[in-house]
Amino acid sequence: MRLEVSSAPTSPSDLVAIAVTRPFDRSAGDLDIPPSAADALVAEAARVDFDAELGSVASISLDGVSYALIGAGASPKATDYRRVGARVVKHAAVVRATSAELRGANSPERARFAAEGAYLAGYKFDAYKTPPAKPGIALGRVAIVGDSAAVAGAVDIAEGVCLARDLANEHPGRCTPSFLAEQATLLAARHGLSCTVWGEEELTKRGFNLLLAVGRGSDQESRFIHLVYRGSGEPKRRLCFVGKGVTYDSGGYSLKPSEHQVNMHLDMGGAAAVLGAAEAIGRTKPAGVEVHFIVPTVENLVSGRAYKLNEIIRGYSGATVEILNTDAEGRLILADALAYAVEQEPDEIIDLATLTGACVIALGTETAGVFGNDDGMAGRLLDAAASVDESMWRMPLTPRIEDHLKSEFADMKNVGSRWGGAISAALFLKKFIGDHAWAHIDIAGPAMTDAEWEYINKGGTGFGVIALHEYARRAGATG
């Protein structure tokens, strides 16, 4: 069940919110609400010293309707209105409103981000909660009064984020590699994308041996998913988005302690983001771009068949890898997927993965690390992410760290030194993309959260979906 977000308010709404950018001392008539409500709201703003800081609220209730001023900040960016939209939803819960409207998002960009914020703040993953005997009052509708096309487009993009959240939050007893493949097949059918799914027999024939090794310890068969979107017109750029899909990571024989296995069903945040981007792109249908969505998906468990330390495995690219840590599994399945992506002859490849704790230590839980071999591409990716307020930071591919991956017995080993672990992981992936323009986004920090904030709920966040959508849109528009 999703919160309904549109540009058409119900009449009357239980909550009428107005986004403002400065302390409010204007006359009642300027508020476009009943004069008595406007007088009371202005008086309340003065009483609480309302300063219009981003997210601040001054609110009154009159004749069964709540009226609120929502601060957008003195000089707001368009993306700040995502937080304004989220604040409306949070305040609606406080005043027990079932319908709300937001006025003052007075440009297409502001309306777009306000609609995203409201939709994402209204997200809940409660499929397994027993319904209460007496359901409480719940917000069902929000209207962002403004540009209807911008609001509709925002809902399409936010629906991609919510799909990514749903996939990530689904419990690991249900979200297996075959489940992800089923969901990808349904997604492709919804939006007319081409769809290829390979099981273990086909993967064995084709030599996806690194992927198969990681999944060998599980009774759940591994899968390989490849969707393709082709926009109208001649493609100006062909992109590959590749997402790590480890639906549960025990660490294998390099076993994680139990407290570190909690939330390891979210180790497919990269796959969730890629499939969420496919949903958003399938809905908005950007012209002039071809996008391949590639998801290798496995469970990393322990059994008598599980892959072992010091095994040497020849991957899809033909290169051999010595395994020195079975908990460094994401880079192995991505290695096969990236080698396959190269064969699609794209202009650019972007992979997303919850790959290293080292990146979380370096950048925290809200910022993803970006590694890449092409400065122009990396700059475009960072610009696209910044324009939609998804925090990313360029990280180095320090050449000397590549020496840490040398193996005495194979072409490389799958881990290097503890120091610079996020860099050595990215350098490992770089070995499989040849001369293609490529970026690796380590989303280990922002892909999940233990606490609710603004428009983010506890659990999987869907981070990366909006940035990927924006990157594809720009690629089709500008080449």
Side-chain angles (χ1 to χ4, degrees):
M1 187 72 179
R2 303 282 199 241
L3 177 66
E4 180 185 330
V5 176
S6 70
S7 59
T10 57
S11 184
S13 297
D14 294 346
L15 168 62
V16 176
I18 304 160
V20 295
T21 59
R22 61 183 183 274
F24 214 86
D25 58 4
R26 297 187 301 175
S27 65
D30 291 337
L31 287 174
D32 193 27
I33 58 177
S36 57
D39 290 341
L41 191 53
V42 170
E44 177 64 11
R47 187 187 71 81
V48 300
D49 196 22
F50 176 75
D51 60 3
E53 182 180 349
L54 181 60
S56 60
V57 178
S59 177
I60 59 102
S61 182
L62 188 68
D63 298 329
V65 178
S66 293
Y67 298 90
L69 299 175
I70 308 291
S75 300
K77 305 186 295 293
T79 53
D80 289 336
Y81 279 77
R82 193 185 286 149
R83 289 165 170 77
V84 172
R87 194 71 181 89
V88 172
V89 172
K90 302 298 185 184
H91 188 65
V94 173
V95 300
R96 298 169 65 81
T98 61
S99 61
E101 62 186 79
L102 173 67
R103 304 174 186 175
N106 50 8
S107 73
E109 293 79 14
R110 289 179 173 184
R112 173 244 167 121
F113 287 110
E116 282 183 7
Y119 199 87
L120 295 175
Y123 171 86
K124 290 182 176 63
F125 186 77
D126 55 6
Y128 299 99
K129 297 284 284 185
T130 302
K134 294 182 179 180
I137 295 174
L139 180 66
R141 300 183 304 278
V142 175
I144 308 300
V145 181
D147 189 288
S148 59
V151 171
V155 170
D156 284 336
I157 295 167
E159 184 59 32
V161 179
C162 290
L163 173 66
R165 290 178 177 182
D166 282 347
L167 294 175
N169 289 328
E170 186 60 72
H171 71 87
R174 185 170 186 230
C175 186
T176 61
S178 60
F179 175 84
L180 271 191
E182 290 165 5
Q183 298 306 303
T185 301
L186 292 171
L187 187 164
R190 282 197 299 275
H191 303 301
L193 280 60
S194 70
C195 177
T196 300
V197 175
W198 289 331
E200 289 190 352
E201 182 177 354
E202 187 66 23
L203 292 170
T204 300
K205 288 179 184 177
R206 292 175 178 269
F208 285 77
N209 297 320
L210 290 169
L211 185 158
L212 289 166
V214 176
R216 212 163 66 202
S218 174
D219 291 337
Q220 296 288 337
E221 283 203 4
S222 301
R223 294 286 186 272
F224 189 88
I225 301 161
H226 181 191
L227 310 181
V228 185
Y229 166 82
R230 295 180 175 89
S232 61
E234 191 69 22
K236 296 177 181 177
R237 209 179 307 165
R238 301 179 74 232
L239 308 175
C240 276
F241 296 157
V242 182
K244 171 188 169 183
V246 179
T247 59
Y248 189 79
D249 182 20
S250 71
Y253 276 114
S254 302
L255 190 66
K256 297 177 186 288
S258 61
E259 63 271 20
H260 291 168
Q261 290 192 44
V262 173
N263 289 331
M264 279 300 100
H265 64 297
L266 296 168
D267 205 20
M268 40 67 73
V274 165
L275 293 177
E279 177 72 26
I281 289 168
R283 285 170 172 263
T284 61
K285 295 181 168 46
V289 66
E290 179 177 305
V291 188
H292 295 249
F293 307 92
I294 295 172
V295 173
T297 177
V298 301
E299 286 185 342
N300 185 26
L301 299 181
V302 177
S303 76
R305 300 188 304 129
Y307 77 129
K308 299 175 281 293
L309 277 69
N310 293 117
E311 275 197 52
I312 296 175
I313 302 164
R314 189 177 299 277
Y316 183 77
S317 70
T320 56
V321 180
E322 182 182 10
I323 307 303
L324 293 184
N325 187 331
T326 62
D327 196 21
E329 83 298 330
R331 66 198 69 183
L332 298 175
I333 69 172
L334 286 174
D336 277 355
L338 290 171
Y340 173 82
V342 165
E343 294 181 345
Q344 312 314 304
E345 299 183 348
D347 296 303
E348 296 171 345
I349 301 170
I350 299 174
D351 76 77
L352 295 89
T354 50
L355 206 64
T356 67
C359 201
V360 186
I361 292 169
L363 297 178
T365 59
E366 295 181 20
T367 300
V370 174
F371 303 80
N373 63 352
D374 183 290
D375 290 342
M377 179 189 175
R380 290 191 297 274
L381 176 58
L382 291 169
D383 285 346
S387 75
V388 294
D389 199 27
E390 290 207 307
S391 180
M392 298 185 187
W393 191 261
R394 182 82 184 270
M395 299 285 281
L397 287 168
T398 310
R400 288 184 179 177
I401 289 181
E402 193 167 0
D403 289 344
H404 300 175
L405 297 171
K406 289 181 177 178
S407 167
E408 186 175 352
F409 305 107
D411 295 325
M412 67 197 82
K413 54 188 180 182
N414 74 323
V415 290
S417 165
R418 174 185 176 188
W419 313 114
I423 299 173
S424 63
L427 286 166
F428 179 89
L429 297 179
K430 182 176 178 288
K431 292 176 178 291
F432 298 90
I433 51 87
D435 296 327
H436 282 72
W438 157 80
H440 159 61
I441 310 176
D442 193 327
I443 61 171
M448 62 192 82
T449 180
D450 291 331
E452 179 179 316
W453 56 278
E454 294 174 348
Y455 51 88
I456 304 293
N457 298 89
K458 184 176 179 179
T461 65
F463 181 93
V465 170
I466 303 178
L468 289 180
H469 175 274
E470 179 64 13
Y471 192 84
R473 186 196 68 78
R474 292 183 178 197
T478 62

